[in-house]
Amino acid sequence: MEEFLNQLPKLAKDKHKENKTFFTKLKKKAPKNLDYIMQDLHEEEFERTDCLTCANCCKTTGPLFTDKDVDRIAKHFKQKAQQFIANYLRVDEDNDYVLQSVPCTFLGADNYCSIYDVRPKACREFPHTDRKKFQQISNITMKNVAICPAAFNIVEAMKKRIKI
């Protein structure tokens, strides 16, 4: 896994143009059953992929925290929302709450998340490859293939399965 993770940014960069062309075509002519195809590809990949051997998403990027996330996690810590924000978050250039720093504060040395049961929605849904109306999030997916080996593999499988 370590070697693949080291190669992933270059692999993603090498595939960027091909992926961009594919997603542009997909937006224009998505198969009617795209969500079902993506669900299958996602499930197949995550039968083989153990996120605990990687955790690259937690090590290299931070999620957006919604107000609901902030309230839920603050409650978990028995804090007021503003106290949780002051301790862990900052407002980014898009006016979203994000972590003050990466790797994620809540990631342990064993790649386990210390707030897993109350983690942000963005973490629960990452890498977003099983989302409804998948073709609408191609920009996010293009970024995620450089971070997440599973997302990279899903996009490669997708290009083989969907002929456009």
Side-chain angles (χ1 to χ4, degrees):
M1 176 61 80
E2 188 87 21
E3 191 175 323
F4 188 49
L5 275 178
N6 290 336
Q7 295 173 355
L8 193 57
K10 184 186 180 331
L11 289 170
K13 188 177 180 191
D14 292 347
K15 295 279 187 177
H16 183 79
K17 188 175 180 185
E18 178 184 312
N19 289 348
K20 191 172 174 87
T21 301
F22 177 80
F23 283 121
T24 299
K25 288 179 182 176
L26 187 68
K27 275 185 181 177
K28 291 177 184 167
K29 193 181 175 200
K32 290 197 185 333
N33 62 341
L34 178 63
D35 290 343
Y36 295 106
I37 293 170
M38 293 311 300
Q39 188 72 45
D40 286 347
L41 291 172
H42 179 90
E43 287 173 10
E44 288 168 16
E45 181 60 33
F46 282 99
E47 284 174 13
R48 294 186 297 269
T49 300
D50 177 10
C51 294
L52 292 174
T53 64
C54 179
N56 200 44
C57 51
C58 306
K59 293 173 183 173
T60 62
T61 63
L64 299 182
F65 286 73
T66 65
D67 290 338
K68 281 184 180 179
D69 293 332
V70 169
D71 291 342
R72 183 178 62 257
I73 300 166
K75 184 178 176 185
H76 171 79
F77 284 121
K78 297 177 176 51
Q79 296 177 339
K80 299 270 187 223
Q82 283 306 328
Q83 186 181 2
F84 173 76
I85 291 166
N87 290 341
Y88 299 102
L89 306 180
R90 66 178 177 82
V91 176
D92 71 2
E93 58 280 352
D94 296 324
N95 221 25
D96 292 316
Y97 286 121
V98 296
L99 290 169
Q100 290 176 3
S101 62
V102 291
C104 180
T105 308
F106 307 111
L107 180 67
D110 57 1
N111 287 345
Y112 277 85
C113 174
S114 64
I115 61 165
Y116 189 81
D117 291 338
V118 294
R119 69 194 184 279
K121 181 178 185 228
C123 298
R124 284 195 308 272
E125 294 180 354
F126 192 85
H128 312 288
T129 47
D130 61 345
R131 234 165 89 173
K132 299 269 188 258
K133 299 183 180 170
F134 177 80
Q135 71 275 19
Q136 294 177 355
I137 61 159
S138 59
N139 289 345
I140 293 169
T141 304
M142 295 276 289
K143 290 178 184 164
N144 289 347
V145 297
I147 298 164
C148 176
F152 181 89
N153 291 337
I154 289 166
V155 169
E156 290 305 299
M158 180 184 175
K159 292 185 296 191
K160 289 178 184 145
R161 185 153 327 161
I162 301 170
K163 303 295 179 199
I164 45 177

